[in-house]
């Protein structure tokens, strides 16, 4: 039966034994179904193979040529560069790879190749860096004029994947059981004029023409995003219609006093966000709200007023932060706002003594503590609340969904307020947080100074650090951020350990320096950050562990080594560590990378200070896979959809999902499909 074919182990296909099955497993292919869902990453129109002389600068093109010469040389910085000269009847081209010496033994003079890559014309010469290469004889094994190009490995070349795919597609298409169960409702297929699934799965691999390919891709992209949105919409509706949580009364005297005594007026965005939160809290449906706000936009004030609201209604509030130093910072900030009005606060982290911990746990359980701020220590089994009404998580992408769920479970459907200083583009928010309501704070409070941002090459490095010393002598403090902990032969980037040793012996020789990186023990990291926060350490050399860090108003300089190795969103987060006090602040990006896209990216951040604009540009430049830089948030590995390129289809799919009434049977199919797609990430996205 077809279902059996779909789940048949890949090794039972002709030409695949145990050895090849093990190689295919590295591509995540274990069954025939997974093979058919191993979609091409691009296509080559063979009628468009060009002679070398006609190749266009800046375009991704394909050409056929013969190897003339293979050589390897060393750059001034010690990089090994393999260069292969190729030619056809019209001219010569140079192929190059960095630190991939095995390439020189793979290709020999006289071999005929089909080469694909981004064309670079320099001084009349044609270069292609890190091209995709196939032997011409193997390239001709595909059928039709549009050839699929798959994610592949050295052990599983393109020709082999094409051969297996053709076999699987033929069996799938010609089987008497080819009426595979549709994943989309018939009315959705009809309304959005979508291709049926069987035809789409065959055509995505072997399209008759470009128009058919476009229709097949649209169908499969829609399907993927639609099922994802069905899951998220279901979660949201389930929370809205089946969960009964805490119903808070309208704002009372405590909230009014705190609001009145704020040392500043709320911005329009803060006021609107506060109204959103108040409306949610006064409903019986448990609040599930994400508050996005740029660095320094004033999210903590919203959290403080929300916590006061739950306290005046007779409930307790909890706020979870990713680090001990950040939890303590929030404790001090909230204490200034809430404690003068009688709100009883406590901090719960891993470093407090047993006696203090036992006392705090007792006070939380008995309701003597109104608001507790802590780290992961809050979700330990021995932490019991008397009446938990509101849970706030800060920098939520640093926590797994299970961790947040464990904190929520300590109350009876408490309200949940999720905060992030990482601006998230709309398409990402719809995909990753489609089950949450979203509020955005774009305006910065009055008084926040713009941070002067500069991009400099390493030949200006001495001047940059001399400037940093001047700032320290003037009473300020400095961050230096490096992309690696220790030196790596594979990646040429400045390491935190190396830079710390170098700066301690040169520019910062007579200054108190600190070293901070993720491999240090938690207590050691907190001690270093505390010393920097109190001004004892003047220069902090660190990795990105300080991306989400403490508020040090006296720090005015952020130097980022190897800035080309960071995305725009991350550079913006790092820049946000300075500019928090009354003194003018600076962010200096050091990089010798001359790649055109890299130079453009670094120039963008020197010109734009709006984190939301930068986030959109970062998503366009780097794609969703690298946007967060971590799998912790649960972003699914989409098989074919690209939420940057496919925004229009995403919005259609979400609208369709919102209009769909999921029967138990259809919902079960949705869950099973999503589980098969996402694997371990399923529970991170949907079990909340």
């Amino acid at each position: 039966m077809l279902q059996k074919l779909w789940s048949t182990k890949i090794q039972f296909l002709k030409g695949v034994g145990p050895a090849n099955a093990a190689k295919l497993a590295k591509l995540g292919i274990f069954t025939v179904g997974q093979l058919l869902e191993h979609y091409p990453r691009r296509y080559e129109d063979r009628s468009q193979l060009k002679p070398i002389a006609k190749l266009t600068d800046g375009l991704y093109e394909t050409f056929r040529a013969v190897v003339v010469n293979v050589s390897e040389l060393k750059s001034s910085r010690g990089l090994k560069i393999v260069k292969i000269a190729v030619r056809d009847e019209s001219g010569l081209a140079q192929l190059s790879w960095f630190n991939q010496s095995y390439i020189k033994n793979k290709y020999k003079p006289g071999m005929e190749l089909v080469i694909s890559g981004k064309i670079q014309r320099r001084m009349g010469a044609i270069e292609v860096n890190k091209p995709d290469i196939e032997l011409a004889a193997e390239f001709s094994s595909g059928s039709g004029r549009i050839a699929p190009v798959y994610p592949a490995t050295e052990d599983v070349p393109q020709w082999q994947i094409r051969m297996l795919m053709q076999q699987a597609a033929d069996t799938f298409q010609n089987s008497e059981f080819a009426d595979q169960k549709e994943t989309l409702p018939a009315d959705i297929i009809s309304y959005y004029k979508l291709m049926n699934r069987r035809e789409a799965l065959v055509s995505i691999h072997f399209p008759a023409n470009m128009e058919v390919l476009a229709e097949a891709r649209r169908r499969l992209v829609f399907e993927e995003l639609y099922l994802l949105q069905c899951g998220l919409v279901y979660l949201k509706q389930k929370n809205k219609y089946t969960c009964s949580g805490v119903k808070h009364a309208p704002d009372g005297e405590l909230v009014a006093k705190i609001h009145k005594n704020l040392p500043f007026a709320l911005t329009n965005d803060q006021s609107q966000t506060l109204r959103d939160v108040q409306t949610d809290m006064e409903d019986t449906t448990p609040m599930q709200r994400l508050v996005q706000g740029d660095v320094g936009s004033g999210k903590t004030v919203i959290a403080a007023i929300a916590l006061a609201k739950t306290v005046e209604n007779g409930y307790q509030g909890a706020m979870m932060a990713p680090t001990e130093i950040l939890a303590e910072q929030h404790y001090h900030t909230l204490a200034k706002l809430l404690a003068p009005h009688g709100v009883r606060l406590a901090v719960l982290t891993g470093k407090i003594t047993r006696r203090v911990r036992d006392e705090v746990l007792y006070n939380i359980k008995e309701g003597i503590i109104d608001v507790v701020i802590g780290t992961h220590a809050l979700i330990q089994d021995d932490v019991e609340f008397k009446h938990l009404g509101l849970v706030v998580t800060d920098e939520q992408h640093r926590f797994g969904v299970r961790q947040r769920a464990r904190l929520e479970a300590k109350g009876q459907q408490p309200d949940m307020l999720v905060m992030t200083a990482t601006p998230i583009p709309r398409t990402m928010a719809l995909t990753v947080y489609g089950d949450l309501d979203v509020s955005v704070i774009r305006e910065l409070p009055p008084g926040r100074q713009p941070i002067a941002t500069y991009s400099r090459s390493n030949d200006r490095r001495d001047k940059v650090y001399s400037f940093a010393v001047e700032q320290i002598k003037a009473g300020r403090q400095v961050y230096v951020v490096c992309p690696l902990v220790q030196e790596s032969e594979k990646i040429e980037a400045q390491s935190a350990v190396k830079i710390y040793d170098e700066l301690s012996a040169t520019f910062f020789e007579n200054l108190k320096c600190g070293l901070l990186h993720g491999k240090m023990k938690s207590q050691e990291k907190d001690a270093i950050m505390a010393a920097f926060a109190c001004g004892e350490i003047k220069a902090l050399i660190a990795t990105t562990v300080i991306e989400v860090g403490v508020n040090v108003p006296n720090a005015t300089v952020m130097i980022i080594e190897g800035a080309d190795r960071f995305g725009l969103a991350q550079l913006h987060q790092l820049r946000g560590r300075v500019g928090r006090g009354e003194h003018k602040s600076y962010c200096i990006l050091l990089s010798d990378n001359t790649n055109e896209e890299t130079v453009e990216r670094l120039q963008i951040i020197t010109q734009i200070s709006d984190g939301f604009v930068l986030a959109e540009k970062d998503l366009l430049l780097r794609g969703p896979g690298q946007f967060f830089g971590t799998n912790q948030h649960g972003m699914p590995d989409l098989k074919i959809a690209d939420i940057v390129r496919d925004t229009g289809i995403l919005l259609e799919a979400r609208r369709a999902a919102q209009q769909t009434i999921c029967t138990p049977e259809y919902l079960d199919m949705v869950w099973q499909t999503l589980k098969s797609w996402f694997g371990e990430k399923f529970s991170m996205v949907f079990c909340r």
Side-chain angles (χ1 to χ4, degrees):
M1 296 181 68
L2 182 61
Q3 186 58 40
K4 185 177 179 181
L5 169 67
W6 193 259
S7 60
T8 297
K9 290 185 178 179
I10 195 70
Q11 71 184 70
F12 294 108
L13 275 184
K14 184 179 178 181
V16 182
N20 279 330
K23 294 174 182 177
L24 287 163
K26 293 179 180 178
L27 289 169
I29 299 172
F30 299 90
T31 66
V32 174
Q34 288 172 328
L35 175 67
L36 286 168
E37 288 185 344
H38 186 71
Y39 300 122
R41 57 190 170 97
R42 60 181 178 83
Y43 300 83
E44 291 168 349
D45 189 338
R46 292 180 182 165
S47 66
Q48 300 301 314
L49 289 179
K50 288 186 177 180
I52 288 174
K54 296 289 182 69
L55 296 173
T56 305
D57 183 46
L59 295 185
Y60 194 100
E61 300 203 283
T62 301
F63 60 100
R64 188 187 298 256
V66 175
V67 176
V68 176
N69 182 55
V70 180
S71 61
E72 184 177 40
L73 49 93
K74 259 191 177 181
S75 73
S76 58
R77 293 191 290 177
L79 284 176
K80 292 180 179 179
I81 307 173
V82 174
K83 288 187 174 289
I84 296 180
V86 298
R87 73 174 307 144
D88 66 6
E89 293 179 355
S90 70
L92 283 164
Q94 189 96 288
L95 317 179
S96 59
W97 293 262
F98 293 88
N99 284 339
Q100 295 184 54
S101 294
Y102 71 90
I103 295 288
K104 67 183 178 184
N105 300 316
K106 192 173 181 181
Y107 302 106
K108 305 294 181 185
M111 293 176 73
E112 188 176 8
L113 310 175
V114 174
I115 302 148
S116 301
K118 187 174 181 180
I119 307 302
Q120 293 180 307
R121 284 184 173 269
R122 293 179 177 171
M123 306 293 289
I126 295 174
E127 295 183 20
V128 188
N129 184 34
K130 287 189 1 186
D132 291 325
I133 291 181
E134 291 182 67
L135 297 178
E138 294 172 352
F139 182 77
S140 62
S141 65
S143 62
R145 106 186 143 80
I146 302 172
V149 179
Y150 297 94
T153 65
E154 280 189 71
D155 293 335
V156 188
Q158 289 293 330
W159 67 266
Q160 186 176 20
I161 297 179
R162 286 193 189 120
M163 179 189 71
L164 294 173
M165 201 68 76
Q166 187 74 67
Q167 183 186 160
D170 288 345
T171 307
F172 178 61
Q173 187 175 31
N174 299 325
S175 168
E176 59 181 297
F177 303 104
D179 55 340
Q180 187 200 7
K181 188 176 179 181
E182 264 291 353
T183 56
L184 300 180
D187 58 335
I188 296 292
I189 294 174
S190 174
Y191 183 82
Y192 290 98
K193 298 180 173 60
L194 300 169
M195 185 181 283
N196 71 63
R197 189 167 203 269
R198 180 185 61 80
E199 186 182 354
L201 276 168
V202 173
S203 297
I204 198 69
H205 297 289
F206 303 107
N209 53 53
M210 297 305 284
E211 290 73 23
V212 170
L213 172 59
E215 284 302 307
R217 185 181 182 280
R218 178 172 176 265
R219 154 65 207 231
L220 295 172
V221 168
F222 186 99
E223 171 189 291
E224 187 168 46
L225 295 174
Y226 171 80
L227 293 177
L228 172 60
Q229 291 300 319
C230 276
L232 294 171
V233 168
Y234 171 75
L235 283 184
K236 191 169 186 177
Q237 291 176 341
K238 178 184 175 185
N239 179 58
K240 183 175 182 180
Y241 296 116
T242 66
C243 296
S244 181
V246 177
K247 180 176 172 61
H248 292 83
D251 291 349
E253 187 178 344
L254 177 60
V255 170
K257 283 181 180 178
I258 291 169
H259 205 152
K260 181 181 178 181
N261 287 284
L262 288 176
F264 48 79
L266 296 181
T267 65
N268 291 331
D269 284 353
Q270 284 177 311
S271 296
Q272 180 57 55
T273 298
L274 184 58
R275 285 194 292 272
D276 292 342
V277 170
Q278 289 167 331
T279 300
D280 287 351
M281 293 180 72
E282 290 167 17
D283 196 340
T284 54
T285 301
M287 174 170 66
Q288 293 282 327
R289 183 165 294 278
L290 169 69
V291 175
Q292 291 189 70
D294 210 343
V295 177
S297 62
K299 299 180 296 297
T300 307
V301 173
I302 304 300
I305 296 174
L307 289 165
K309 186 178 182 71
T310 206
V311 170
E312 75 175 3
N313 277 267
Y315 295 98
Q316 294 167 291
M319 184 173 188
M320 186 163 68
T323 65
E324 291 185 350
I325 197 72
L326 190 54
E328 290 181 358
Q329 175 186 310
H330 279 315
Y331 170 74
H332 292 301
T333 301
L334 292 173
K336 287 179 183 178
L337 294 171
L338 304 180
H341 303 285
V343 178
R344 300 162 296 185
L345 299 96
V347 63
L348 186 65
T349 63
K351 72 178 184 181
I352 62 175
T353 64
R354 167 65 67 179
R355 184 185 64 79
V356 172
R357 176 182 169 81
D358 289 344
E359 183 180 350
V360 170
L361 292 181
Y362 174 81
N363 290 338
I364 294 172
K365 185 176 181 180
E366 295 299 317
I368 298 170
I369 295 296
D370 298 314
V371 174
V372 58
I373 302 98
T375 56
H376 300 79
L378 286 174
I379 63 176
Q380 299 303 311
D381 292 337
D382 58 355
V383 180
E384 296 179 50
F385 289 83
K386 186 174 183 180
H387 296 297
L388 182 61
L390 173 65
V391 170
V392 181
T393 56
D394 187 29
E395 297 304 341
Q396 59 78 37
H397 63 284
R398 298 294 170 123
F399 298 107
V401 173
R402 293 187 190 92
Q403 292 169 316
R404 297 197 297 274
R406 285 185 66 185
L407 183 54
E408 284 184 83
K410 293 187 178 292
Q412 295 296 318
Q413 299 291 339
D415 286 331
M416 170 65 76
L417 185 62
V418 175
M419 305 196 304
T420 179
T422 302
I424 305 167
R426 183 176 179 227
T427 50
M428 289 285 279
L430 286 176
T431 308
V432 185
Y433 303 112
D435 62 319
L436 303 181
D437 295 306
V438 180
S439 295
V440 178
I441 304 176
R442 296 186 71 108
E443 299 171 273
L444 291 180
R448 282 298 298 251
Q449 296 188 49
I451 302 163
T453 306
Y454 305 95
S455 179
R456 296 288 183 261
S457 57
N458 282 323
D459 58 7
R460 304 281 295 277
R461 202 161 168 268
D462 286 359
K463 290 185 177 180
V464 169
Y465 280 107
S466 294
F467 172 72
V469 172
E470 289 174 11
Q471 286 284 298
I472 292 173
K473 288 181 178 178
R476 310 285 82 79
Q477 290 165 273
V478 172
Y479 290 101
V480 179
V481 175
C482 312
L484 298 175
V485 177
Q486 295 176 318
E487 284 191 273
S488 167
E489 293 180 3
K490 294 182 179 179
I491 303 175
E492 185 171 338
Q494 299 282 30
S495 75
V497 174
K498 177 186 173 186
I499 292 293
Y500 174 78
D501 291 339
E502 177 192 329
L503 293 176
S504 296
T506 54
F507 291 101
F508 300 159
E509 183 178 9
N510 299 314
L511 301 170
K512 177 73 172 176
C513 297
L515 173 65
L516 188 71
H517 56 73
K519 291 186 177 180
M520 297 167 66
K521 293 180 179 179
S522 178
Q523 290 181 335
E524 193 177 0
K525 285 191 288 187
D526 287 336
I528 293 291
M529 282 305 301
F532 186 67
C534 73
E536 179 186 340
I537 290 175
K538 303 301 180 184
L540 182 64
I541 296 90
T543 57
T544 55
V545 291
I546 57 97
E547 180 184 352
V548 176
V550 294
N551 181 24
V552 183
N554 195 47
T556 57
V557 179
M558 167 65 70
I559 299 171
I560 303 177
E561 294 272 3
D564 54 286
R565 301 204 62 80
F566 300 94
L568 285 174
Q570 196 170 34
L571 289 172
H572 182 63
Q573 284 287 301
L574 292 168
R575 174 169 63 181
R577 294 303 101 208
V578 296
R580 292 169 167 260
E582 58 182 308
H583 305 287
K584 185 171 177 60
S585 294
Y586 307 84
C587 178
I588 305 169
L589 314 173
L590 289 172
S591 171
D592 272 343
N593 194 316
T594 57
N595 176 274
E596 189 176 333
E597 291 180 4
T598 301
V599 172
E600 177 191 1
R601 182 157 47 87
L602 296 183
Q603 281 299 28
I604 285 172
I605 195 168
T606 65
Q607 298 162 2
I608 297 174
S609 58
D610 187 321
F612 288 91
V613 175
L614 286 172
E616 295 285 355
K617 290 187 176 292
D618 201 24
L619 188 60
L620 287 170
L621 288 169
R622 300 202 304 158
Q626 297 179 30
F627 184 81
F628 283 98
T630 174
N631 290 329
Q632 186 79 326
H633 55 86
M635 175 68 188
D637 293 320
L638 299 174
K639 291 176 177 293
I640 190 168
D642 179 333
I643 61 172
V644 180
R645 173 183 172 187
D646 300 318
T647 301
I649 301 177
L650 169 61
L651 296 177
E652 280 187 333
R654 182 165 178 79
R655 188 162 58 249
Q658 289 171 329
Q659 295 167 350
T660 300
I661 299 174
C662 287
T663 64
E665 295 77 17
Y666 188 69
L667 188 62
D668 182 63
M669 187 281 295
V670 169
W671 289 138
Q672 294 306 317
T673 304
L674 293 174
K675 280 180 181 178
S676 70
W677 282 354
F678 299 163
E680 293 179 357
K681 287 189 177 182
F682 175 82
S683 60
M684 297 175 68
V685 181
F686 297 104
C687 296
R688 52 188 179 200

